[in-house]
Amino acid sequence: MTWQAYVDDNLVGTGKVAKAAIFGTDGSLWATSAGYNVDPVEILKLIAAFENTDDIAANGLFLEGKRFNYLRSGDASIYAL
Protein backbone atom coordinates (compact mmCIF):
# COMPACT_ATOMS: atom_id res chain seq x y z
CA MET A 1 0.00 0.00 0.00
CA THR A 2 1.26 3.47 -0.84
CA TRP A 3 1.01 6.46 1.49
CA GLN A 4 -1.48 8.01 -0.94
CA ALA A 5 -3.71 4.95 -0.73
CA TYR A 6 -3.44 5.08 3.07
CA VAL A 7 -4.62 8.71 3.09
CA ASP A 8 -7.40 8.02 0.60
CA ASP A 9 -8.67 4.71 2.01
CA ASN A 10 -7.74 4.49 5.68
CA LEU A 11 -8.10 8.12 6.68
CA VAL A 12 -10.40 10.17 4.43
CA GLY A 13 -12.14 7.07 3.10
CA THR A 14 -13.54 6.27 6.55
CA GLY A 15 -15.70 9.38 6.47
CA LYS A 16 -14.36 10.34 9.91
CA VAL A 17 -11.42 12.39 8.62
CA ALA A 18 -12.11 15.39 6.38
CA LYS A 19 -8.54 16.16 5.30
CA ALA A 20 -5.24 14.37 5.72
CA ALA A 21 -1.61 14.58 4.70
CA ILE A 22 1.57 12.68 5.44
CA PHE A 23 4.89 14.52 5.51
CA GLY A 24 8.44 13.35 6.09
CA THR A 25 10.41 14.67 9.05
CA ASP A 26 12.18 16.98 6.60
CA GLY A 27 8.87 18.54 5.55
CA SER A 28 8.62 16.69 2.23
CA LEU A 29 5.07 15.83 1.16
CA TRP A 30 4.41 12.09 0.84
CA ALA A 31 0.63 12.08 0.35
CA THR A 32 -2.34 14.41 0.73
CA SER A 33 -6.08 14.41 0.29
CA ALA A 34 -7.56 16.37 -2.59
CA GLY A 35 -7.62 20.11 -2.00
CA TYR A 36 -5.58 20.02 1.22
CA ASN A 37 -2.99 22.75 0.74
CA VAL A 38 -0.78 23.13 3.79
CA ASP A 39 1.98 25.72 3.52
CA PRO A 40 5.47 24.17 3.84
CA VAL A 41 6.35 26.75 6.53
CA GLU A 42 3.38 25.53 8.59
CA ILE A 43 4.64 21.95 8.36
CA LEU A 44 8.17 22.92 9.38
CA LYS A 45 6.76 24.68 12.45
CA LEU A 46 4.73 21.58 13.29
CA ILE A 47 7.81 19.37 12.93
CA ALA A 48 9.83 21.74 15.16
CA ALA A 49 7.08 21.57 17.79
CA PHE A 50 7.86 17.90 18.40
CA GLU A 51 11.14 19.09 19.95
CA ASN A 52 9.85 22.28 21.59
CA THR A 53 6.18 23.29 21.90
CA ASP A 54 6.83 26.84 23.16
CA ASP A 55 5.98 28.50 19.81
CA ILE A 56 2.70 26.69 19.19
CA ALA A 57 1.73 26.97 22.87
CA ALA A 58 2.10 30.75 22.67
CA ASN A 59 0.96 31.41 19.08
CA GLY A 60 -1.11 28.42 18.07
CA LEU A 61 -0.61 25.84 15.34
CA PHE A 62 -1.56 26.91 11.82
CA LEU A 63 -2.62 24.58 9.00
CA GLU A 64 -3.99 26.02 5.76
CA GLY A 65 -3.86 29.40 7.52
CA LYS A 66 -6.37 28.25 10.15
CA ARG A 67 -5.30 28.61 13.78
CA PHE A 68 -5.54 25.66 16.15
CA ASN A 69 -5.01 26.06 19.89
CA TYR A 70 -2.34 23.81 21.36
CA LEU A 71 -3.74 21.49 24.04
CA ARG A 72 -0.99 19.02 24.96
CA SER A 73 1.65 16.76 23.50
CA GLY A 74 3.31 13.42 24.07
CA ASP A 75 6.42 11.76 22.68
CA ALA A 76 4.88 11.16 19.26
CA SER A 77 1.75 13.32 19.24
CA ILE A 78 0.55 16.91 19.38
CA TYR A 79 -3.06 17.71 20.21
CA ALA A 80 -4.63 20.96 19.06
CA LEU A 81 -8.19 22.13 18.62
Side-chain angles (χ1 to χ4, degrees), residues 23-45:
F23 291 87
T25 56
D26 63 354
S28 61
L29 177 63
W30 293 1
T32 186
S33 57
Y36 194 34
N37 301 309
V38 180
D39 187 300
V41 172
E42 294 173 333
I43 293 304
L44 293 176
K45 286 186 177 189

Side-chain angles (χ1 to χ4, degrees), residues 2-22:
T2 66
W3 288 119
Q4 189 60 55
Y6 184 81
V7 166
D8 294 341
D9 301 336
N10 295 40
L11 297 175
V12 178
T14 67
K16 297 179 181 181
V17 176
K19 299 177 184 179
I22 299 175

